[in-house]
Each structure stands twice: as structure tokens, then as C-alpha cells.
Amino acid sequence: MSDAELNIDSILSLMGGTIFHFIVGIKTMWGNVAPYITSYLVQFDPSITYHHTLHVYTAVFLGQSLFMYLGGRLERRIGPRPTSYLGAFLISGCTYASSYCKSLSGLMFFQACVGVGIGLSYSAPIICCFGHFAKNKGIVTGIITAGTGAGPFLAGLVATTYVNSENYPVDARTGLYDPMTSPVVGRVPGMFRVLGIMYGCIGLVGASLLMSPPTADEEREAPSKLLSLENGDRASLIENGERASLIDNGKGANVYDEAMMAEEEPSGSGAIKTSTSSAVKGRRHQRYGSKVKFTTTFELTTSQMVKDSLCWLVIATAICTGVSGFYVAATYKNFGQTAIADDHFITVVGCFGCLCSGLSRMLWGSIADRIGHFETLELTAYLSPAVLLAYTLTADDKLSFGICVCSLYALWGAIYCLMPAIAAFLFGDKHLGTNYGFIFFVFGVMCTVIIDGAGFTGWDFGRINYLFIGIGCVGAVLSSRIRFLTSKIKDEKVLKHHRATSSVSSMA
């Protein structure tokens, strides 16, 4: 970081962004508190099982998915600090309000509102800090997202210490705490209140430290940039009365397009073709997506991207490789307690798993810089079902269980590190915010549907694990397909640049 960037406002904003992100990653701690909450609700409705309370977890994620895009728009309109205050209010207030819920539907509603708060405020601290550290966005992203992993780590320990400090085991027959005899059940409302107050304090401090960078204000006030055509085939940028050509030597490709192109010109009947006007407008071109290999990439709007079969291949790969992480985060304690009667041990394992999910993103980014992003995606996609199989078969061994849970969390983190950069590489940088927002939206909704569907089956968690192993294997095959289709792309320097500078490169 340069001396020019290091001033009191920038340092405070970075601290505030990291602190605030402690509360936007809390959904990953659901697996830790699920046995307590399920046992509490059973006293009001004996038919409730772990499969039913799994819907509470998916409600949080669905709320986040639906409001991520709106959160970015809101930050542009009112600024990072008010946006973060709003998110903190929803996260804290709805967590506290959950303490009064005695029905599954009521708890799902308030936890969905927690997800809305997460979605609205997730990107605000990151965008704010990017304005302060324009040349060090990769480092800033890593620092802030460390809070995303540290928050659930802290909250999980606080919740278990409050509810079950004596380390009472669950009933071996039901897998629940007896609401009539166990003191754990009666402490659940207090747990929600403690967490709600803690989230409010953390969110208030973090949001208050965010300082709007002057550059961000200037960008909001700057005149709009207009794209015009000269002589029907040359584009220019008009800004403040000055004109600069975007087309180089009449080739019909802007600077970004050229950086993405292969060294040789595409040829043959299967090659991708483009015209001067299509490159200027960025609107029309031929793209065969998953049917043939391609050697160039283009700037696509979201409406164009969704018509490209490659977009849906990327989304399907993200779903199949990432859904197992969501599932394990929600069920690891329920599954582990079938063989390990030690609540404190399983809690610590899950808390370190949350930490691994946040910190592993820097690891995967570093590996991607060395071997390539598509290859790294393929590597993690093949590792995930293998580790999930080991997790299923060795659940009675504490060491193996702990290693597998932390590894699955870490592999889950790879999706959030790699997918935004891959989207920028394949579909362009100009519309990355809306493009990745759409990808994340479909990803979130489908993961919710799959996990909820698994819950409706009524199968035991050991059996459901095999279902997600199969889904992971499909994801591995799809990742190989993407890697094959993109193997002729010559230059990953642009991809590395986007991983380090994209404002959405860490969203989760």
C-alpha cells in the first residue's frame, strides 16, 4: 500500500470493513446451533425434525441471494455507512426477535430477514475500502473477508458456551436435547438475545468506522461518459469535451477485448467471428458456448450472457461443486453427533471450519495464479466429493471428522474465490457486477431448492451425504468440460487482474 493511500480515513475504513464482516458471514454457523434450536421448537411442535429446521438455514441464504444486487444499488445511492447501518439493524434486530419465535414459520421469517440484511450490506464495506485503496484491492479483499470467517468462529463459540457450557450430550435415540429435562433447551431464547446484541454492537462499530472516500464522491458527481460512432465504424469516448478512440487501428476491438484474445486469429468453420460494429457496440457476436472450443472472449451484458450456453454451464458447475459446502455447514453437527457424543468438540471443529472457509480463499487465489483458475476449479471440484466420502465413512473418528469438516469448508471457499474471476474472464469486465449478481442469484436459489429437497426426503444424514457426493461428481465432470472449452485461451494475466481488483471477487 502506498503512503498516499495510508491516511486516517483509509485505515479506519479498512478496520471498519473487517469488523463489519464479522456479522455478514454468520449464516455458516447454523450447523453449530441447529441441535439447540430444533430441540427448542420440538416442545411446541413434536413433529419438527432436523430436516424441517434445515429450511431456516436455507431461508437465510435465500434472503441474501435475493438482495445482493439491491445492496449494491443502495450503496451507490446512500453511501456505505448508511447501507451498513441498515444491514446491521436487520441482522441484529431480527436475530433478537427470533428469541420470541415458537413456530418454525416464524423463525424462518425472521431469519430470512437476517439474510436480507446480509445481502443489502455485504458489498458496502468492500466497495468503500476499494475507493481508499485503489491500487491494493486484492490485499484489501483478503483482509476484509477474513472477518467473514472469523465472525462465525466467534459467534459459534459464544452460542455454545452460553447454551451448553456443561457439554450435555444429545439423546442417543432422538438426536435432540430433551425439552423436559435438559437445561440446554431453556437457554435458546437467551442465546438469540445475546447474539442479537453482539451483532448489533459489532455492526455499529464497523459501520461507524467506514469513511466515504473522496474519489467515490467525485465519481458519483462526474459527467456521464458517452459512446458515439464516427463514420459508422469507429467508436470514441466523450468525457469533459475530450475525445479518445476506443478502437485500435480499425480492428473493431477495444483495449479489453484485445487483452483477452488469443495470440493467433481464430480460423476455420468452428471459430468465433465478430464484426467491427459488433465489437464497438458489444451487443452482437457469434458464440458457440459449450459446443466448440473458443479462443476469444467478449464484453457481454447480462441479457446477452443468459442467452449463451456457456453461462449456464458455469452456473451448473458452481451449483454442483458448491452445494455440498452449504449442506455440510448446515448439518455437520447433526451428523457428527450420531457417532461422537461431545458437543464441545464438534462445536470447535465447526468454528475452525468457518475460519478455514474465509482464509482458504487466499490459498486458492494463490494456487490459481500458478496453475490457472480453470485448473484450480477442476482440482477443487474433484477433491470435494472424495473428502465428503471420507467424511461419511469415518464420522466415528474424531481426528478424521475434524479434518474432513475443515477441508470441506475450505473447498467450499474456492467457489467464492474463483467464480467471480472466471465470470469476468468469460463474459467481460464492464458488466461484471450485474453478470455475477445474476450468477450468484441462480446459484443461491438452486442450492436452496436442492438442500430443501434433500430435507423433504426424510432420509438420515448418512444417506443424504451420498446424494451430495453424486452431485459433486457431476460438478467435477462439468468443471473438466469448462477447462477443456477454455484450454485455447492464451492469456490469464487479465484473469489474475480481475481476481485482485473485482469489487465482487469475494462475495459470499
Side-chain angles (χ1 to χ4, degrees), residues 97 114 124 166 175 310 386 469:
V114 170
E166 300 90 346
L310 185 65
I469 290 171

Side-chain angles (χ1 to χ4, degrees), residues 74-417:
L74 188 64
E75 188 278 336
R76 285 171 134 189
R77 181 173 293 272
I78 67 176
R81 185 184 291 177
T83 302
S84 298
Y85 280 144
L86 176 60
F89 173 78
L90 287 171
I91 295 169
S92 171
C94 293
T95 298
Y96 193 94
S98 297
S99 66
Y100 298 101
C101 293
K102 296 181 179 180
S103 67
L104 179 64
S105 59
L107 186 60
M108 287 178 61
F109 171 77
F110 281 114
Q111 289 300 301
C113 292
V114 170
V116 172
I118 294 172
L120 288 175
S121 59
Y122 189 101
S123 62
I126 298 175
I127 295 172
C128 174
C129 290
F130 280 3
H132 286 288
F133 299 96
K135 297 181 181 179
N136 298 95
K137 295 178 180 178
I139 298 173
V140 168
T141 300
I143 294 173
I144 293 177
T145 54
T148 308
F153 175 86
L154 174 63
L157 293 177
V158 170
T160 295
T161 301
Y162 181 89
V163 172
N164 191 17
S165 59
E166 300 90 346
N167 201 19
Y168 292 116
V170 295
D171 183 271
R173 183 179 60 86
T174 64
L176 298 168
Y177 296 96
D178 189 339
M180 303 302 296
T181 60
S182 176
V184 170
V185 176
R187 298 170 185 166
V188 170
M191 177 197 72
F192 276 121
R193 290 167 192 152
V194 169
L195 291 177
I197 294 171
M198 184 177 76
Y199 296 158
C201 293
I202 293 174
L204 179 64
V205 172
S208 298
L209 292 175
L210 296 176
M211 308 291 178
S212 295
T215 52
D217 296 334
E218 291 169 4
E219 288 175 359
R220 291 188 182 99
E221 297 171 2
S224 60
K225 300 178 180 180
L226 302 176
L227 187 66
S228 65
L229 294 178
E230 293 181 352
N231 302 323
D233 63 353
R234 293 183 63 80
S236 61
L237 183 69
I238 303 174
E239 182 179 8
N240 298 330
E242 297 183 1
R243 187 181 301 270
S245 177
L246 292 179
I247 306 301
D248 182 33
N249 297 326
K251 293 179 181 178
N254 62 31
V255 174
Y256 180 83
D257 291 329
E258 281 201 2
M260 305 291 265
M261 287 186 178
E263 293 175 356
E264 69 273 2
E265 293 294 326
S267 60
S269 58
I272 299 171
K273 302 176 182 179
T274 184
S275 66
T276 300
S277 60
S278 65
V280 170
K281 296 179 181 179
R283 301 293 183 189
R284 297 180 179 276
H285 56 72
Q286 288 181 312
R287 169 73 80 86
Y288 296 99
S290 59
K291 296 180 180 178
V292 298
K293 285 189 178 185
F294 57 90
T295 57
T296 64
T297 57
F298 294 86
E299 292 282 357
L300 301 181
T301 64
T302 304
S303 60
Q304 294 166 342
M305 182 186 73
V306 298
K307 298 175 183 176
D308 189 339
S309 57
L310 185 65
C311 164
W312 297 101
L313 177 60
V314 169
I315 292 174
T317 304
I319 293 168
C320 292
T321 56
V323 69
S324 59
F326 281 107
Y327 166 73
V328 170
T331 63
Y332 75 89
K333 181 175 275 192
N334 305 333
F335 175 66
Q337 285 179 334
T338 60
I340 302 173
D342 189 343
D343 184 55
H344 284 184
F345 170 78
I346 300 176
T347 295
V348 171
V349 166
C351 290
F352 274 101
C354 293
L355 204 57
C356 288
S357 176
L359 298 179
S360 68
R361 302 177 195 190
M362 292 183 281
L363 170 66
W364 299 124
S366 177
I367 293 175
D369 282 345
R370 288 169 172 78
I371 69 173
H373 285 69
F374 299 103
E375 289 77 7
T376 305
L377 175 65
E378 187 177 24
L379 172 65
T380 58
Y382 277 94
L383 283 174
S384 291
V387 176
L388 186 55
L389 178 62
Y391 162 84
T392 304
L393 297 176
T394 61
D396 56 342
D397 182 79
K398 283 188 173 182
L399 178 61
S400 176
F401 178 80
I403 293 174
C404 287
V405 169
C406 290
S407 298
L408 287 167
Y409 267 99
L411 290 165
W412 181 28
I415 291 294
Y416 298 110
C417 172

Side-chain angles (χ1 to χ4, degrees), residues 8-22:
I8 187 64
D9 283 356
S10 62
I11 294 173
L12 288 176
S13 294
L14 185 59
M15 290 175 55
T18 305
I19 292 171
F20 190 85
H21 262 245
F22 271 59

Side-chain angles (χ1 to χ4, degrees), residues 436-455:
Y436 183 67
F438 176 81
I439 292 173
F440 188 87
F441 167 74
V442 179
F443 170 69
V445 170
M446 290 308 301
C447 285
T448 299
V449 170
I450 292 171
I451 294 174
D452 277 341

